[in-house]
Amino acid sequence: MKKRYYIAIIDTTDAYYYADVFDENRYEIFGIEDELKVAKVLADAYFRIKNYMWKSLKEMNKLDGGYDVRIYDENHNCLYKAHEIYKDKWFV
């Protein structure tokens, strides 16, 4: 049986203040992939598309806005957080 990886786009608006509220309005499963490598490429692409209007991750966090994109396995374990990749280096 193949493993499945779920790509979730998460609305991070006010995430600090409402971290315990994780309902269907704050995230969406945007894709399901069989290969983690492919899922990571898609997660990075979705992150860049959803956050094109921000100049940096610091600005995004300061204004409590933007989106994060994460990859979860079938057991709901988070395997990848796109914002960690772009923490020091924003878009090229």
Side-chain angles (χ1 to χ4, degrees):
M1 179 182 281
K2 287 186 176 183
K3 288 189 176 186
R4 306 289 279 179
Y5 301 100
Y6 299 86
I7 304 167
I9 297 177
I10 303 166
D11 182 355
T12 57
T13 302
D14 293 326
Y16 178 79
Y17 303 104
Y18 300 107
D20 56 337
V21 179
F22 197 72
D23 61 20
E24 61 191 33
N25 296 323
R26 296 204 54 219
Y27 77 97
E28 129 183 46
I29 300 298
F30 208 75
I32 302 171
E33 289 295 326
D34 295 331
E35 294 183 40
L36 184 56
K37 185 176 181 178
V38 173
K40 285 181 179 181
V41 169
L42 290 173
D44 287 343
Y46 293 145
F47 182 87
R48 294 177 72 164
I49 289 167
K50 295 297 277 186
N51 295 304
Y52 72 90
M53 71 292 261
W54 301 102
K55 294 179 183 174
S56 68
L57 183 62
K58 184 177 180 179
E59 177 185 304
M60 191 171 86
N61 291 338
K62 182 179 176 183
L63 298 174
D64 290 328
Y67 295 86
D68 193 13
V69 182
R70 297 183 181 193
I71 299 172
Y72 295 91
D73 65 12
E74 294 171 329
N75 297 318
H76 308 287
N77 297 312
C78 184
L79 304 176
Y80 184 78
K81 301 173 185 175
H83 78 274
E84 291 180 345
I85 300 301
Y86 293 99
K87 187 177 282 187
D88 298 319
K89 178 183 173 190
W90 205 241
F91 306 135
V92 188

